[in-house]
Amino acid sequence: MTIDETLPVRSSNDIVVVRQMVRASAVQLGFNLVEQTKIVTAASELARNTIDYGGGGVARVQSLRQAGRIGLRLTFEDKGPGIADIELALKDGYTTGGGLGLGLSGAKRLSNEFAIESRPGEGTRVTITRWK
Ligand SMILES: Nc1ncnc2c1ncn2[C@@H]1O[C@H](COP(=O)(O)OP(=O)(O)OP(=O)(O)O)[C@@H](O)[C@H]1O
Ligand SMILES: [Mg+2]
Protein backbone atom coordinates (compact mmCIF):
# COMPACT_ATOMS: atom_id res chain seq x y z
CA MET A 1 0.00 0.00 0.00
CA THR A 2 1.30 3.42 -0.94
CA ILE A 3 0.16 6.71 0.55
CA ASP A 4 0.51 9.91 -1.44
CA GLU A 5 -1.97 12.67 -0.65
CA THR A 6 -1.76 16.41 -1.21
CA LEU A 7 -4.01 18.56 0.96
CA PRO A 8 -4.71 22.30 1.11
CA VAL A 9 -3.34 24.23 4.10
CA ARG A 10 -5.29 27.47 4.21
CA SER A 11 -7.43 27.42 7.34
CA SER A 12 -7.43 26.07 10.87
CA ASN A 13 -9.81 23.37 9.72
CA ASP A 14 -7.28 22.33 7.06
CA ILE A 15 -4.80 21.79 9.90
CA VAL A 16 -7.28 19.42 11.55
CA VAL A 17 -7.62 17.49 8.27
CA VAL A 18 -3.82 17.34 7.80
CA ARG A 19 -3.40 16.11 11.38
CA GLN A 20 -6.01 13.40 10.79
CA MET A 21 -4.34 12.31 7.54
CA VAL A 22 -0.91 12.17 9.17
CA ARG A 23 -2.26 10.22 12.15
CA ALA A 24 -4.13 7.75 9.91
CA SER A 25 -1.09 7.30 7.67
CA ALA A 26 1.20 6.69 10.65
CA VAL A 27 -1.26 4.11 12.02
CA GLN A 28 -1.49 2.42 8.62
CA LEU A 29 2.30 2.19 8.41
CA GLY A 30 2.49 0.65 11.85
CA PHE A 31 4.03 3.53 13.81
CA ASN A 32 3.52 3.22 17.55
CA LEU A 33 1.55 5.79 19.54
CA VAL A 34 4.59 7.84 20.57
CA GLU A 35 5.87 7.96 16.98
CA GLN A 36 2.40 8.91 15.71
CA THR A 37 2.19 11.75 18.18
CA LYS A 38 5.64 13.05 17.27
CA ILE A 39 4.90 13.31 13.58
CA VAL A 40 1.41 14.70 14.12
CA THR A 41 2.85 17.39 16.41
CA ALA A 42 5.50 18.29 13.85
CA ALA A 43 2.82 18.44 11.14
CA SER A 44 0.74 20.85 13.23
CA GLU A 45 3.65 23.22 13.71
CA LEU A 46 4.61 23.23 10.04
CA ALA A 47 1.02 23.60 8.87
CA ARG A 48 0.54 26.53 11.23
CA ASN A 49 3.66 28.22 9.81
CA THR A 50 2.43 27.59 6.25
CA ILE A 51 -0.70 29.58 7.10
CA ASP A 52 0.75 32.25 9.41
CA TYR A 53 3.91 33.08 7.44
CA GLY A 54 3.49 31.49 4.03
CA GLY A 55 -0.01 32.79 3.34
CA GLY A 56 -1.27 29.23 2.89
CA GLY A 57 -0.10 26.36 0.74
CA VAL A 58 -0.24 22.60 0.51
CA ALA A 59 0.85 19.58 2.51
CA ARG A 60 1.93 16.32 0.90
CA VAL A 61 1.79 13.10 2.91
CA GLN A 62 3.80 10.23 1.46
CA SER A 63 4.73 6.76 2.56
CA LEU A 64 8.28 5.63 1.79
CA ARG A 65 9.82 2.24 1.38
CA GLN A 66 13.58 2.27 1.07
CA ALA A 67 15.79 -0.76 1.52
CA GLY A 68 13.14 -2.46 3.60
CA ARG A 69 12.57 0.58 5.79
CA ILE A 70 9.18 2.20 6.12
CA GLY A 71 8.91 5.95 6.50
CA LEU A 72 6.45 8.80 6.45
CA ARG A 73 7.44 11.98 4.63
CA LEU A 74 5.60 15.29 4.97
CA THR A 75 6.20 18.26 2.70
CA PHE A 76 4.78 21.72 3.43
CA GLU A 77 4.98 24.15 0.58
CA ASP A 78 3.93 27.76 0.19
CA LYS A 79 4.53 30.63 -2.20
CA GLY A 80 4.94 33.19 0.56
CA PRO A 81 7.80 35.58 1.32
CA GLY A 82 10.32 32.84 2.09
CA ILE A 83 12.81 32.69 4.94
CA ALA A 84 15.84 34.95 4.51
CA ASP A 85 18.00 33.32 7.20
CA ILE A 86 17.10 29.67 7.70
CA GLU A 87 19.71 29.09 10.41
CA LEU A 88 18.25 31.95 12.43
CA ALA A 89 14.68 30.75 11.89
CA LEU A 90 15.69 27.37 13.33
CA LYS A 91 16.97 28.86 16.60
CA ASP A 92 14.83 28.14 19.65
CA GLY A 93 12.96 31.31 20.54
CA TYR A 94 13.35 33.11 17.21
CA THR A 95 10.02 34.45 16.02
CA THR A 96 8.86 37.24 13.77
CA GLY A 97 5.20 36.62 14.58
CA GLY A 98 5.01 36.90 18.35
CA GLY A 99 5.07 33.13 18.75
CA LEU A 100 7.32 31.06 20.97
CA GLY A 101 9.79 30.44 18.18
CA LEU A 102 9.72 26.72 18.87
CA GLY A 103 7.80 25.38 15.89
CA LEU A 104 10.56 24.76 13.37
CA SER A 105 13.14 23.65 15.91
CA GLY A 106 10.54 21.39 17.54
CA ALA A 107 9.55 19.86 14.21
CA LYS A 108 13.22 19.21 13.50
CA ARG A 109 13.73 17.45 16.82
CA LEU A 110 10.63 15.32 16.23
CA SER A 111 11.88 14.14 12.82
CA ASN A 112 14.64 11.87 11.61
CA GLU A 113 15.28 13.97 8.51
CA PHE A 114 14.54 17.65 8.13
CA ALA A 115 15.13 20.03 5.23
CA ILE A 116 14.10 23.59 4.43
CA GLU A 117 14.33 25.05 0.96
CA SER A 118 13.40 28.69 0.70
CA ARG A 119 14.01 31.61 -1.58
CA PRO A 120 13.08 35.10 -0.47
CA GLY A 121 10.08 36.22 -2.48
CA GLU A 122 9.37 32.77 -3.89
CA GLY A 123 8.28 30.61 -1.02
CA THR A 124 9.24 27.87 1.37
CA ARG A 125 9.29 24.10 1.32
CA VAL A 126 9.85 22.16 4.53
CA THR A 127 10.29 18.40 4.26
CA ILE A 128 10.39 16.05 7.22
CA THR A 129 10.73 12.29 7.37
CA ARG A 130 10.19 9.92 10.21
CA TRP A 131 11.38 6.33 9.82
CA LYS A 132 9.79 3.46 11.67
N1 LIG B 1 6.59 29.02 5.82
C1 LIG B 1 7.25 30.09 6.27
N2 LIG B 1 7.42 31.19 5.49
C2 LIG B 1 8.09 32.28 5.92
N3 LIG B 1 8.65 32.36 7.16
C3 LIG B 1 8.54 31.30 7.98
C4 LIG B 1 7.83 30.12 7.59
N4 LIG B 1 7.90 29.24 8.61
C5 LIG B 1 8.59 29.85 9.59
N5 LIG B 1 8.98 31.09 9.22
C6 LIG B 1 9.80 32.04 10.01
O1 LIG B 1 10.53 31.32 10.98
C7 LIG B 1 10.22 31.81 12.28
C8 LIG B 1 10.32 30.70 13.28
O2 LIG B 1 9.26 29.76 13.06
P1 LIG B 1 8.78 28.86 14.29
O3 LIG B 1 7.67 28.00 13.86
O4 LIG B 1 10.00 28.21 14.88
O5 LIG B 1 8.29 29.93 15.36
P2 LIG B 1 6.94 30.78 15.39
O6 LIG B 1 5.96 30.24 14.38
O7 LIG B 1 7.30 32.21 15.27
O8 LIG B 1 6.40 30.47 16.85
P3 LIG B 1 5.73 29.10 17.34
O9 LIG B 1 5.74 28.13 16.19
O10 LIG B 1 6.59 28.62 18.48
O11 LIG B 1 4.37 29.49 17.75
C9 LIG B 1 8.86 32.45 12.15
O12 LIG B 1 8.61 33.41 13.15
C10 LIG B 1 8.95 33.07 10.75
O13 LIG B 1 9.69 34.26 10.77
MG1 LIG C 1 5.56 28.24 14.18
Side-chain angles (χ1 to χ4, degrees):
M1 155 261 323
T2 304
I3 298 162
D4 192 349
E5 300 283 344
T6 299
L7 302 167
V9 183
R10 306 216 154 265
S11 67
S12 293
N13 189 63
D14 290 343
I15 297 182
V16 174
V17 174
V18 168
R19 285 176 61 102
Q20 286 167 345
M21 176 64 65
V22 171
R23 173 78 66 180
S25 301
V27 169
Q28 229 181 316
L29 294 176
F31 282 82
N32 69 33
L33 190 58
V34 170
E35 292 167 332
Q36 291 167 31
T37 301
K38 284 181 177 175
I39 195 148
V40 170
T41 301
S44 282
E45 292 296 338
L46 298 177
R48 177 49 65 191
N49 284 351
T50 297
I51 294 172
D52 288 352
Y53 304 108
V58 293
R60 186 174 178 193
V61 181
Q62 281 174 282
S63 59
L64 303 178
R65 253 178 210 82
Q66 275 173 27
R69 282 200 307 177
I70 289 177
L72 188 55
R73 174 164 294 166
L74 309 180
T75 307
F76 292 82
E77 215 174 312
D78 65 64
K79 292 187 161 49
I83 302 175
D85 187 337
I86 291 172
E87 208 187 316
L88 184 60
L90 275 167
K91 289 216 161 91
D92 278 352
Y94 177 80
T95 179
T96 61
L100 292 173
L102 293 174
L104 281 178
S105 55
K108 184 174 183 182
R109 280 191 286 268
L110 293 168
S111 310
N112 299 125
E113 291 168 24
F114 179 93
I116 301 182
E117 297 157 79
S118 186
R119 283 175 200 222
E122 289 185 24
T124 300
R125 181 189 298 136
V126 183
T127 306
I128 64 172
T129 306
R130 179 122 197 135
W131 295 101
K132 211 176 91 175

